[in-house]
Amino acid sequence: MEKKDMKIVNQGLEDEMEVWGYRPCPWKIVLVGVGAVCTGGLLFLVLYWLPEWGVRGTCTRTPFIREAQTLLLRSTDEFRRWFRAKVHVMLVPGKRPFDSVDLQGPLHIPNGDSIHAFSALQDEHQGKYVHIQPVQILYFTHHSTKYYWNDLLQNFEVFKGLEDVRVTCSGIHTDHSSGLSKLLQDYRRLFFEVNEIAVRVPSVFKLLIKEVLNPFYIFQLFSVILWSAEQYYYYAAAIVLMSVISIATSLYTVKKQYIMLHDMVATHSIVRVSVCRGNLDVEEAMSTELVPGDVIVIPSNGMIMPCDAVLVHGNCIVNESMLTGESVPVTKTSLPSSGKDGAGLYSIEEHKRHTLFCGTHIIQTRFYTGELVKAVVVRTGFSTEKGQLVRSILYPKPTDFKLYRDAYLFLLCLVGVAGIGFVYTIVLSIINQVPAKTIVVESLDIITITVPPALPAAMTAGIVYAQRRLKRVGIFCISPQRINICGQLNLVCFDKTGTLTEDGLDLWGIQRAENGSFSPPEDDPANETLVRSSFVSCMATCHSLTKLEGELSGDPLDLKMFNATGWILEEPTEEETALHNPIMPTVVRPPKQVHPEVNQEVNLAQNMELSELTLSYEIGIVRQFPFSSALQRMSVVVRKLGEKRMDAYVKGAPEVMASLCREDTIPESFTETLESYTRQGFRVIALAHRQLEAKLSWHKVQNLNRDLIETNMEFLGLLIMQNKLKEETAGVLKDLRRANIRTVMVTGDNMLTAISVARDCGMITPHERVIVADATPPKDIQPATINWHYTENHATSKDNRVESVEMSLEDVGHVTYGEQPMQQEQRYHFAMSGRSFAVITEHFPDLVQKLALRATIFARMAPDQKTQLVEVLQSVDYTVGMCGDGANDCGALKRAHSGISLSELEASVASPFTSSTANISCVPNLIREGRAALITSFCVFKFMALYSIIQYLSVTLLYSILSNLGDFQFLFIDVAIILIIAFTMSLNPAWKDLVARRPPSSLISGPLLFSVLTQILTCLAFQVLAFLWVRGQNWYEKWTPLSDACNISSANLTHGPNMTSHVDHKNIRNYENTTLFYVSSFQYLAVAIIFSKGKPFRQPSYKNWPFMLSCVALYIFLFMIMLYPVPAIDNFLEIVCVPHEWRITVVVIVLVNAAVSFLLETLVLDIILWKLVFSRDKQGGSDGMAVTSATHTPQSANERWCATFLSWLFCRKGKTSRVRYMQVAQELQEDPDWPPKPATVTYTTSTPHHTVSM
């Protein structure tokens, strides 16, 4: 078999990687060592930061990965991250963990797997394993996962657990339910290792080294060394102090997160368990010893699961809040062992209802005499569901946000500018014959000036402040970098139940079906006349409720349904179950009737008879088939007291139930009645009943497939539940709509119910049409098709007319008859079910992006489909938020750019944000704070960039006369001005309202580049002006300690002659230095105030009193020392005395400078360019399809003319949007056949067919 030099592991999965093999190369290693010595260790740091360079620089690639000693890994996602891994070798008795190996005697694992593992075993057992031929296995570890080399596949593979052997459900019962021998358990542990989700808390020293080796801190170290060489100790000390505080804070935060995560998983990492060693032998063992294939006994009082295991005997009641966020206990039943279900391959995803997950809490078990509740271990350690969640926290994907990518590009530009200054300084110094040491120091100093070391700390400040403000409104964040991303959200997906609507349901009423027709609706199922009806019996038994500490607990819908009957639920105690050989089922019965005193004997007799009937009427629940989201139903098998036959009751989605019932029992008005309820927003559940055959015994029922029971049912009627909107929902969605933020509903509920709720809450307005995309998969020779149903428009339509059009997978054209084309301006929304979504994504990939642009309602969506939907929306460049209550939303919450969980349970670790307020009012709050934090980041970045450029200009000009800024001038600028301003300008709170305009997402954008470049040119112009002007004054001369320009020019100043006690070797004191110091100091303040913008994303700066106080104090101080000089301050700052007239001139220069900067930023950029040029890209609304006004006024005509001219000037005329959803919107506006219209003929294969509008 031909071997390639590159392999792909985890193919098709989220963590897919490309792998190359390398072997050490001695001469490359020598060269790297020499280079590291020559660069003072800098080369080692570069190779540490860039693993691909490190491997390629010290190794040579081998075409046979099996011969590699070092692997180079690269992720295949958009981040293309590189990793380095070392190949290890171990000797074991077999090639794979589930191979049959002839082992004799105990097999103990030595400490650490290595090439000596097997020889160590032989030594320990004195040659007992000489007859076993050891096998050499290559492996490497990456992100807490081991990858083993497979000679057959010629690639690395991961051993996850029992699923690797592709065993059927019945196979688990027959082949894996008796347990493993200790010997086989030890052998498998060689591959699966210890069953522990080991979150190692790194030592402070290790964290410190990792933190200090960050490029940012290395650059700071370089800067501090350079400043110390220049005897610039004060600012060096300030930077060191800042760095120490920053490192200490970072270490504390990271260490705290590791400890929290460690404590979270430690509760179930090591517990004692009962392990089966054969059918009868049970022994105590530590959970760390468990391997896939072991059989454990679940104790009756419950436990916290230390692994993923599948139930093979008995039932369990489990709290899965750790994983799902749903605190409602769920019932887990044993894995089916026969029939169609038993023949299917076991899969954790498909058989969740039978699988106990690691970290979940077993509350209690249901067991019967002589039978223990047993489970087969499926996965251990990091392979478990909990382990994968912990891995995603330990090794998160980097945050992909344009701001951070652009920040690096911008810094590279600054490095380029620094390079120009570096060369300029060297050339100028050589020309002026400056000593070599001074040349080196000053040329390197220009780099530290251009790239400010305090930039990352200053940018982080805004995020930290935003995180604190979010905490005050009850929103907690575990990923602070995502706060900025929230400022760019333009689409938010909402779960319905518990998020948009109240979590609980109220029973509105029931509508029973009798003799093929509906009875009138009834509001009281507890009515005495209905006590023995099948409908009420179904309500009382078809649920998964249980009693915990005397209180009924379970799904809120089940609770409402059961409580409405007024019946009583009784469960057998542990003692009763143990004493009685016959099974003691859960029993439900009507309440004891309390009868009023009556005078009539007849009535009394009737009441006594009814009471006797009621008291003797009990129903035992023999078996439960739990609710399945895939099947959309649940069922129970029951036996009534005194009856021989058993009954089956089923409840579920009405559409599904109708397919399970006999047609003669379904009322003719079923569809119309169902639609009438769902259109009003009610949640409708259908009930059905069937009497089972007399020959079915209890034991047969326990092994019966649910498909055999859930068929040929009798339709009982409808249960109508009312799901009220939360008070805040409509207002929040209105705010989001006004802000051009698109909203999408993703729910597991019925389609028409979802549409009704969407209309009620304002997600769809009365004048907007809903188009239902009903897709069916291909069947036999029929291709996949989409039926487009136009639901009635509540604002214009009074009847129940439904228009439809059918499109086939094999479409080649449309022909329209009769109807006028629909106006593109008419707004519409698509709605689809999870089934249709799956068909469209698989068979109509060309329609996915078109539908994503307008689809607003996704009903009957499975959890993985929610995640898939988020990915589809992200693929068209939406910045997606997801808001859910934690149940079934974890995947989508993790996948979205910003996931907001309304659950405070431990499932919130899957979501970057968690709200303590259980309504969606947190969403606009989060977006407002995100926008404020994003604008703050831009403001700080622009300010720090201008600060470095202004200082760079000053220093470059002074270098031309072999001068520089003084140490205390640098200190005053860097600490008193820059640090104080940078940290206080981040304190502006968020603006109170969400506006339609979104902040820019990129630093490399027209408005921001225009802003930065114009301010740079302005500062350059005024610095050059001041520099040249001062040299042209009649009093100007080359400054010496005896110069007295003040007294020459003005007699009214009492300032003494310029005197100094030491010789100024660095030529700091001169008129150019003093002038540029004054001018540049005011420039820092001017750009800080101009860049610190308020409305529409932040509160005005005048409300940020620390910032305003700092600015006012600095202005007063600077004006004071400039107009009324204080000798002590002048001496400290190394400022020389200049004439009063020149001071007034400098005041005029700084005021004109400030005015020009303000006009350029506010008038030209914010008003003219934003309004007429850059905002044109933002037109089109949140979905890119809004239509602009067509009114023509002289003002609008002028604006259009100006916009056209400026667009031409800025080369933006005809420029298409870079975001995909805007491109798709433009394509659809030009497509006359979109959206699909009524009365359209669709061509499939050879014969055209069409559906005519009714």
PDB file of all heavy atoms in Angstrom, residues 384-399:
ATOM      1  N   THR A 384     -16.138  10.652  27.446  1.00  0.00           N
ATOM      2  CA  THR A 384     -17.534  10.794  27.860  1.00  0.00           C
ATOM      3  C   THR A 384     -18.088  12.143  27.417  1.00  0.00           C
ATOM      4  O   THR A 384     -17.348  13.052  27.039  1.00  0.00           O
ATOM      5  CB  THR A 384     -17.665  10.679  29.387  1.00  0.00           C
ATOM      6  OG1 THR A 384     -16.918  11.750  29.993  1.00  0.00           O
ATOM      7  CG2 THR A 384     -17.129   9.351  29.889  1.00  0.00           C
ATOM      8  N   GLU A 385     -19.414  12.257  27.475  1.00  0.00           N
ATOM      9  CA  GLU A 385     -20.049  13.537  27.133  1.00  0.00           C
ATOM     10  C   GLU A 385     -19.520  14.649  28.029  1.00  0.00           C
ATOM     11  O   GLU A 385     -19.235  15.752  27.574  1.00  0.00           O
ATOM     12  CB  GLU A 385     -21.575  13.419  27.296  1.00  0.00           C
ATOM     13  CG  GLU A 385     -22.248  12.545  26.266  1.00  0.00           C
ATOM     14  CD  GLU A 385     -22.391  13.221  24.917  1.00  0.00           C
ATOM     15  OE1 GLU A 385     -22.805  14.393  24.877  1.00  0.00           O
ATOM     16  OE2 GLU A 385     -22.066  12.580  23.906  1.00  0.00           O
ATOM     17  N   LYS A 386     -19.399  14.350  29.320  1.00  0.00           N
ATOM     18  CA  LYS A 386     -18.869  15.349  30.252  1.00  0.00           C
ATOM     19  C   LYS A 386     -17.407  15.658  29.945  1.00  0.00           C
ATOM     20  O   LYS A 386     -16.976  16.816  29.978  1.00  0.00           O
ATOM     21  CB  LYS A 386     -19.008  14.819  31.680  1.00  0.00           C
ATOM     22  CG  LYS A 386     -18.515  15.775  32.757  1.00  0.00           C
ATOM     23  CD  LYS A 386     -19.385  17.023  32.816  1.00  0.00           C
ATOM     24  CE  LYS A 386     -18.914  17.969  33.916  1.00  0.00           C
ATOM     25  NZ  LYS A 386     -19.071  17.382  35.243  1.00  0.00           N
ATOM     26  N   GLY A 387     -16.644  14.618  29.615  1.00  0.00           N
ATOM     27  CA  GLY A 387     -15.238  14.815  29.282  1.00  0.00           C
ATOM     28  C   GLY A 387     -15.056  15.703  28.069  1.00  0.00           C
ATOM     29  O   GLY A 387     -14.159  16.561  28.036  1.00  0.00           O
ATOM     30  N   GLN A 388     -15.921  15.518  27.061  1.00  0.00           N
ATOM     31  CA  GLN A 388     -15.834  16.353  25.864  1.00  0.00           C
ATOM     32  C   GLN A 388     -16.196  17.802  26.177  1.00  0.00           C
ATOM     33  O   GLN A 388     -15.612  18.735  25.613  1.00  0.00           O
ATOM     34  CB  GLN A 388     -16.749  15.794  24.776  1.00  0.00           C
ATOM     35  CG  GLN A 388     -16.250  14.458  24.218  1.00  0.00           C
ATOM     36  CD  GLN A 388     -17.221  13.847  23.237  1.00  0.00           C
ATOM     37  OE1 GLN A 388     -17.892  14.549  22.496  1.00  0.00           O
ATOM     38  NE2 GLN A 388     -17.306  12.518  23.225  1.00  0.00           N
ATOM     39  N   LEU A 389     -17.155  18.001  27.077  1.00  0.00           N
ATOM     40  CA  LEU A 389     -17.501  19.356  27.503  1.00  0.00           C
ATOM     41  C   LEU A 389     -16.324  20.016  28.214  1.00  0.00           C
ATOM     42  O   LEU A 389     -15.983  21.176  27.959  1.00  0.00           O
ATOM     43  CB  LEU A 389     -18.732  19.321  28.419  1.00  0.00           C
ATOM     44  CG  LEU A 389     -19.185  20.652  29.018  1.00  0.00           C
ATOM     45  CD1 LEU A 389     -19.553  21.634  27.921  1.00  0.00           C
ATOM     46  CD2 LEU A 389     -20.352  20.447  29.961  1.00  0.00           C
ATOM     47  N   VAL A 390     -15.670  19.247  29.100  1.00  0.00           N
ATOM     48  CA  VAL A 390     -14.505  19.780  29.822  1.00  0.00           C
ATOM     49  C   VAL A 390     -13.366  20.074  28.849  1.00  0.00           C
ATOM     50  O   VAL A 390     -12.681  21.100  28.968  1.00  0.00           O
ATOM     51  CB  VAL A 390     -14.058  18.792  30.923  1.00  0.00           C
ATOM     52  CG1 VAL A 390     -12.748  19.249  31.561  1.00  0.00           C
ATOM     53  CG2 VAL A 390     -15.139  18.658  31.983  1.00  0.00           C
ATOM     54  N   ARG A 391     -13.169  19.207  27.843  1.00  0.00           N
ATOM     55  CA  ARG A 391     -12.135  19.457  26.831  1.00  0.00           C
ATOM     56  C   ARG A 391     -12.401  20.748  26.077  1.00  0.00           C
ATOM     57  O   ARG A 391     -11.476  21.508  25.774  1.00  0.00           O
ATOM     58  CB  ARG A 391     -12.080  18.300  25.828  1.00  0.00           C
ATOM     59  CG  ARG A 391     -11.255  17.096  26.298  1.00  0.00           C
ATOM     60  CD  ARG A 391     -11.160  16.040  25.219  1.00  0.00           C
ATOM     61  NE  ARG A 391     -10.355  16.497  24.110  1.00  0.00           N
ATOM     62  CZ  ARG A 391     -10.743  16.475  22.834  1.00  0.00           C
ATOM     63  NH1 ARG A 391     -11.938  16.024  22.522  1.00  0.00           N
ATOM     64  NH2 ARG A 391      -9.949  16.894  21.881  1.00  0.00           N
ATOM     65  N   SER A 392     -13.674  20.994  25.753  1.00  0.00           N
ATOM     66  CA  SER A 392     -13.994  22.225  25.015  1.00  0.00           C
ATOM     67  C   SER A 392     -13.725  23.462  25.862  1.00  0.00           C
ATOM     68  O   SER A 392     -13.458  24.538  25.324  1.00  0.00           O
ATOM     69  CB  SER A 392     -15.461  22.210  24.569  1.00  0.00           C
ATOM     70  OG  SER A 392     -16.331  22.336  25.684  1.00  0.00           O
ATOM     71  N   ILE A 393     -13.767  23.312  27.186  1.00  0.00           N
ATOM     72  CA  ILE A 393     -13.445  24.437  28.073  1.00  0.00           C
ATOM     73  C   ILE A 393     -11.938  24.570  28.237  1.00  0.00           C
ATOM     74  O   ILE A 393     -11.392  25.681  28.229  1.00  0.00           O
ATOM     75  CB  ILE A 393     -14.130  24.253  29.444  1.00  0.00           C
ATOM     76  CG1 ILE A 393     -15.654  24.219  29.278  1.00  0.00           C
ATOM     77  CG2 ILE A 393     -13.730  25.359  30.415  1.00  0.00           C
ATOM     78  CD1 ILE A 393     -16.400  23.804  30.528  1.00  0.00           C
ATOM     79  N   LEU A 394     -11.253  23.428  28.370  1.00  0.00           N
ATOM     80  CA  LEU A 394      -9.798  23.464  28.538  1.00  0.00           C
ATOM     81  C   LEU A 394      -9.087  23.933  27.278  1.00  0.00           C
ATOM     82  O   LEU A 394      -8.072  24.636  27.349  1.00  0.00           O
ATOM     83  CB  LEU A 394      -9.291  22.061  28.901  1.00  0.00           C
ATOM     84  CG  LEU A 394      -9.469  21.597  30.346  1.00  0.00           C
ATOM     85  CD1 LEU A 394      -9.048  20.141  30.469  1.00  0.00           C
ATOM     86  CD2 LEU A 394      -8.658  22.456  31.299  1.00  0.00           C
ATOM     87  N   TYR A 395      -9.613  23.539  26.110  1.00  0.00           N
ATOM     88  CA  TYR A 395      -8.958  23.872  24.847  1.00  0.00           C
ATOM     89  C   TYR A 395      -9.959  24.559  23.915  1.00  0.00           C
ATOM     90  O   TYR A 395     -10.393  23.979  22.912  1.00  0.00           O
ATOM     91  CB  TYR A 395      -8.407  22.606  24.180  1.00  0.00           C
ATOM     92  CG  TYR A 395      -7.628  21.711  25.124  1.00  0.00           C
ATOM     93  CD1 TYR A 395      -8.171  20.524  25.607  1.00  0.00           C
ATOM     94  CD2 TYR A 395      -6.350  22.067  25.546  1.00  0.00           C
ATOM     95  CE1 TYR A 395      -7.470  19.709  26.475  1.00  0.00           C
ATOM     96  CE2 TYR A 395      -5.639  21.260  26.423  1.00  0.00           C
ATOM     97  CZ  TYR A 395      -6.207  20.080  26.881  1.00  0.00           C
ATOM     98  OH  TYR A 395      -5.502  19.284  27.752  1.00  0.00           O
ATOM     99  N   PRO A 396     -10.358  25.771  24.241  1.00  0.00           N
ATOM    100  CA  PRO A 396     -11.367  26.441  23.414  1.00  0.00           C
ATOM    101  C   PRO A 396     -10.795  26.885  22.075  1.00  0.00           C
ATOM    102  O   PRO A 396      -9.586  27.087  21.937  1.00  0.00           O
ATOM    103  CB  PRO A 396     -11.757  27.655  24.267  1.00  0.00           C
ATOM    104  CG  PRO A 396     -10.523  27.952  25.054  1.00  0.00           C
ATOM    105  CD  PRO A 396      -9.870  26.624  25.325  1.00  0.00           C
ATOM    106  N   LYS A 397     -11.687  27.026  21.110  1.00  0.00           N
ATOM    107  CA  LYS A 397     -11.262  27.582  19.832  1.00  0.00           C
ATOM    108  C   LYS A 397     -10.987  29.063  20.020  1.00  0.00           C
ATOM    109  O   LYS A 397     -11.656  29.729  20.801  1.00  0.00           O
ATOM    110  CB  LYS A 397     -12.377  27.409  18.781  1.00  0.00           C
ATOM    111  CG  LYS A 397     -12.362  26.065  18.097  1.00  0.00           C
ATOM    112  CD  LYS A 397     -13.296  26.082  16.897  1.00  0.00           C
ATOM    113  CE  LYS A 397     -13.180  24.791  16.110  1.00  0.00           C
ATOM    114  NZ  LYS A 397     -14.017  24.827  14.890  1.00  0.00           N
ATOM    115  N   PRO A 398     -10.003  29.609  19.304  1.00  0.00           N
ATOM    116  CA  PRO A 398      -9.755  31.045  19.431  1.00  0.00           C
ATOM    117  C   PRO A 398     -10.952  31.844  18.933  1.00  0.00           C
ATOM    118  O   PRO A 398     -11.707  31.378  18.073  1.00  0.00           O
ATOM    119  CB  PRO A 398      -8.520  31.278  18.551  1.00  0.00           C
ATOM    120  CG  PRO A 398      -8.453  30.108  17.643  1.00  0.00           C
ATOM    121  CD  PRO A 398      -9.074  28.963  18.368  1.00  0.00           C
ATOM    122  N   THR A 399     -11.129  33.011  19.492  1.00  0.00           N
ATOM    123  CA  THR A 399     -12.239  33.863  19.090  1.00  0.00           C
ATOM    124  C   THR A 399     -11.917  34.499  17.748  1.00  0.00           C
ATOM    125  O   THR A 399     -10.932  35.231  17.621  1.00  0.00           O
ATOM    126  CB  THR A 399     -12.483  34.961  20.143  1.00  0.00           C
ATOM    127  OG1 THR A 399     -12.673  34.338  21.407  1.00  0.00           O
ATOM    128  CG2 THR A 399     -13.705  35.771  19.799  1.00  0.00           C
TER     129      THR A 399
END
